[in-house]
Amino acid sequence: MPLVRFAIKLFSRLPGLAGYLGVASLLLLVASSAHAVTLDREKLAAYFPEPLIVGEKDPELPVWPLFRQMRSDKGWGDPVAVGFAFESLDFAPVPGFSGTPINLLIALDNMGKFLDVKVLSQHEPVFVEGLGPAPLDKFVKQYKGLGITQSIKIGSGLNKAGQAESANVFIDGVAKATASTRIVNQSLLSAALKVARARLGFALGTDPDLVGRIKTHLYQPMDFPALERAGLVTRKTLLNKDVEAAFKGTVGERQDKIARRDPDAVFTQLMVLYLNVPSVGRNVLSDKAWKYLMGWIEPGDHAFLVATRGRYSFVSDNYIAGAVPDRLTLTQSGLPIELRDLNIEGTPKLPADWSGPDVQWRVFKVISQASLDPSQPLDFALSVTREKGQMFPEKARKDFVLKLRLPSDYFDVSASDNKTWHALWTDRVWEIGVLCAALALLTVLLARPKWVTASPRRMAQVRTAYLLFTLGFIGWYAQGQLSIVNFTAAIQALRAGRSLDFFLYDPMTVLLWAYVVISLLLWGRGTFCGWLCPFGALQEFIAKIARALRLPQRRLHTRTDKRLKYLKYGVLAVVIAMPFISAPWTDKAVEVEPFKTAITLGFHRSWPFVLWAVALLAFSAFVYRGFCRYLCPLGAGLAVLGRVRLLNWLPRRAECGQPCQTCRHRCEYQAIEPQGKIDYDECFQCLDCVVIYESDKLCTPLIIQKRNSRVVPVQPVPVPTAASGTDA
C-alpha cells in the first residue's frame, strides 16, 4: 500500500526512539479495514413492518421495492407499490469528517417524498463520543414527509407548519455540527435523486435545489401586444419553402404538393406561452381557468399553452386527449422533458387573428420531478414527417425548434447549492474575513518581528491578545480547531479512493490548513502550535494563571525532556495506523486529543472525556504546555512535515550557547540546545528569544558589548599656581 510505504519512510527519518516507535507501530498495526455491513431483505423487514412489504432486491439497482397491503370490504387485495428503500452508501458515499461516509437508510415514495430516514452507520467525531448519536437521529427524522422536489435548507424550522406544500423548507441543524449535518443533507438528497431519476421517472438533469424559481408575486395587467413587447410570447413561423428546404436530399423531398405549388405560403405558426408566470397566465386565461390551473399544478410543476395556426398542427388528427403529444417535444440542456396534456375549461385570450378552424391549442403540464429550470432556455420541437411510397413507404422526419427564453425579470436565479459546501462559505463570509485578516496580521508579526519584539511588555501584550483571539474566536466560536482527525480522515478517504471535498464543508479548517502548509514551508511547525492552536492557547493561559497563584512549576531535566518529546511520535504512529484497521478503532484512538472535549464541545461531554481534558490542562499548570510537547499527535505530525522548512529564520549570534545560555534557560519549551541552536521541530515561535536577542538589557552579549563600549570621560587634574598660596 503506497500510504503505508510512505508512512514507514517518513517515520524512519525520525531520530532514535521516535523512528523505531513509528515504524514498529505501523508494521504491527497495518491490516485490512473492516467493510460496513449492508442490509438484506430480512433486515429491512424489521425497519418496515406490516402493512408494508419489502420486495426482492432490484437486479439492476441496489434498491428494494416497498409494497403496501391494501384492505377492503372484500378482504386483503393485491399489494400496491409505494416506493423504494435503499442505502445512501450505494449511491452517494460522501465522506464525513472522519473520512468515512455516513450510511443512511432511505425510504422514498413514488412521488419523491421521504417515507423514512434512519442512520445506519456514522463515524462523525462530533456524533460518536461528542454529542452522541441522538442529535443526528433527531436531525434525520425531520426529512420524513418532505420531498426531493423541495428546496430543503438547514437553518431554522420557521415554516414547519406548511412544509408539505412549501417549495422551500427550513429544518433545524445541530449546534457545533454544522458541517456534519450539511454532509448528511448532501448524502441523503444526492442518493435520493439518483434513485428517483432511475426508478421514478425524474429528469436526469438539474438538481431541483439548483433551478430558478418563477416570481409568483409579480403580476401586471397586460393585453397581448404588451405581453409580446415584454418578451412573454414566443412564436415561430414556418413557410412551405422552409420545410421543403429541410427535407432536401431526403426521401421526403418534393413530397408536399401544396408546398411546391405555393412555397411562400405559411406552413404553420407555432406559439408557446409560459402560464406559470402570473402576468401570462392571469392575462391569457379566465379567472376561473387560472384558479383551476393553480389548483391542479403542484409546487415545482410548470404549465405551457401551445398553439398553432396554419395547415399543420402540433397534434395529429388521431390525437387522443390526455396523451403525450405526437408531434411536439420539449428538451432542456439536451435532456427530454415529458409534456402531459391538461384540460382547461374555457378559451384562452389569443390574438384576434388567431381564430378559426386552423387554430389548435392545448395546455401541457411538466411535473416537478422533471426539474425544469425556468431560468434556462427551453427547446420546443415541432416534428414533421414525410413519406414516399405506397405499400412500404420510406419515412423522413425533421424537427423545427422554437427556443423559449423567459425574461430575467420574471424569475429568481438559482441560489448556491444549499446541500453542498458553497452555502457554508457564503453564510460565514464575515468569519472568513476576520480569520484572513488575523492570519495576515500574524504573517506580518512573524515576518517582520522587530517592532513587536522591541519591548518585552509589548510582546507579552500582543501575544496575549492574539492567543485570546485564537481561543475565543478561532476555537470556541468559529470551531476552527485543527486536529489529528483531519489526518486520519484524509487517509481513510484516499485509501477508499474518495475525494477530499468533505473538508470544504468547514471553511475555517480549509483556510487554517492552507495557511499552516505555507507556514510549514517557511517557518516550521511552531506557527500553528504557538499561535493558532486553541487548545494550546488554553494551556498557555492555564500556565499563566498557575504562576499568578504561585503554584510550583516543574522544568524537566534536559535529557528527560528530550526523551519524553519522542513519545508523541509513537502516539502519532499508533493513531495514523488505525485507519488501516477499522473506523471504530480510529474513533477511539483520536480521543487522545482533548480538542473535541475542550474546544469543539466546550466540556459538554460525558465525564471520562472531560476528566481526560481537565487532567491534561492541570498537567500544563505545572509543566508548561505538557500535552503539546510530549503527547500531541498533531504536533508530532506537523513537526515531521515541518522538516521541509526553508528558513532558519530566528536570529542567533556566535555567542549563543558559547558561552551565553540566557535564551536556552528562559525558553519555556526547552527548544534551544546547549550549543545555542534552535530545535525547530520543538520551537513554538513565541518570539521570547527574539525579544532577548534584541534587548541590550536582557541579552548577555549585548550587555557586555554595551559595557565595553561605554566611554568614561577623563577630567584634567588642576595645576597649582602661586595665586593659590602654595610655596614655590
Side-chain angles (χ1 to χ4, degrees), residues 285-296:
L285 302 178
S286 65
D287 290 342
K288 182 179 179 180
W290 169 255
K291 292 178 182 177
Y292 178 84
L293 178 66
M294 291 296 100
W296 270 98

Side-chain angles (χ1 to χ4, degrees), residues 465-476 531-534 537:
Y466 203 96
L467 291 182
L468 280 171
F469 169 82
T470 295
L471 178 60
F473 180 81
I474 296 180
W476 285 330
W531 292 86
L532 296 172
C533 178

